Amino acid sequence: MFLGTYTPRLDDKGRLTLPKKFRGILDKGLMVTKGQDHSLAVYPREEFVALARRAAAASRSDPEARAFVRNLAAGTEEQEPDAQGRIVLSAEHRRYANLDKECVVIGSVDFVEVWDKAAWERYVAANEESYSQAAGAALGDIV
C-alpha cells in the first residue's frame, strides 16, 4: 500500500527520487502516466496492466471510453528505477503536471501521485474542508 506525503526535488535531468518506502513495491517495474487533476500517476507494472485491461474492456463505440483508453495508452511510459531509486520523468509528463523542481509525492493506496508542490498546496486548500465533511453516495460505506 502507498501511504504518506513526501517532497523530493526534480534534478536538472528530470529525475525524481522515489520515497524509500515505495521502492520495494516499484523496483520490479513501474508505469508513469498522466493522472487526474494534472498530476502524474505511478503504478506498479502489474497494477497498471490490470487497470489498462479494465479500460480496454470498455465499449469502443463510446467516444468518452475511446478517448480515455487512447490517452491512457499514449500517455504512459514504462520505467525501472535506477540504483538510487530515481526515475526519469519525460518532458511531456513534466509539462502535463507543470513539474519544475519542487514536487510532492503522495501515496494513493494502490498507486503513487506526483504533483507540482504549488498545485498540491492549492488542491489541499480547496479540498481539505470537504474531506473533513466527507459523506455521500460516492463514498458508499467508507465513512
Side-chain angles (χ1 to χ4, degrees):
M1 228 188 303
F2 298 106
L3 304 170
T5 303
Y6 306 87
T7 55
R9 294 174 55 90
L10 275 180
D11 70 13
D12 293 335
K13 296 178 182 177
R15 294 179 300 194
L16 179 77
T17 303
L18 296 169
K20 279 188 177 190
K21 290 180 98 175
F22 298 165
R23 292 183 201 167
I25 304 169
L26 298 171
D27 65 359
K28 298 174 187 134
L30 57 91
M31 308 299 267
V32 179
T33 192
K34 295 175 180 179
Q36 295 183 315
D37 302 308
H38 285 273
S39 65
L40 298 179
V42 179
Y43 288 89
R45 189 178 191 293
E46 299 79 25
E47 186 76 31
F48 181 82
V49 168
L51 168 71
R53 296 237 186 270
R54 288 191 311 273
S59 173
R60 296 290 176 120
S61 65
D62 179 338
E64 197 172 309
R66 266 195 324 270
F68 181 84
V69 172
R70 286 177 180 152
N71 279 289
L72 180 68
T76 301
E77 295 180 353
E78 189 166 7
Q79 295 261 341
E80 284 191 32
D82 68 13
Q84 287 79 39
R86 297 176 299 194
I87 56 172
V88 178
L89 299 179
S90 71
E92 174 57 19
H93 280 155
R94 293 191 312 268
R95 182 205 61 77
Y96 175 80
N98 195 34
L99 299 175
D100 187 22
K101 291 282 186 197
E102 302 292 326
C103 298
V104 175
V105 174
I106 64 165
S108 198
V109 183
D110 57 350
F111 68 101
V112 174
E113 294 182 41
V114 180
W115 287 75
D116 166 72
K117 184 179 181 193
W120 174 249
E121 289 170 351
R122 285 190 303 273
Y123 180 85
V124 169
N127 291 284
E128 194 166 42
E129 186 60 30
S130 62
Y131 172 76
S132 70
Q133 303 297 321
L139 297 173
D141 62 354
I142 297 171
V143 290

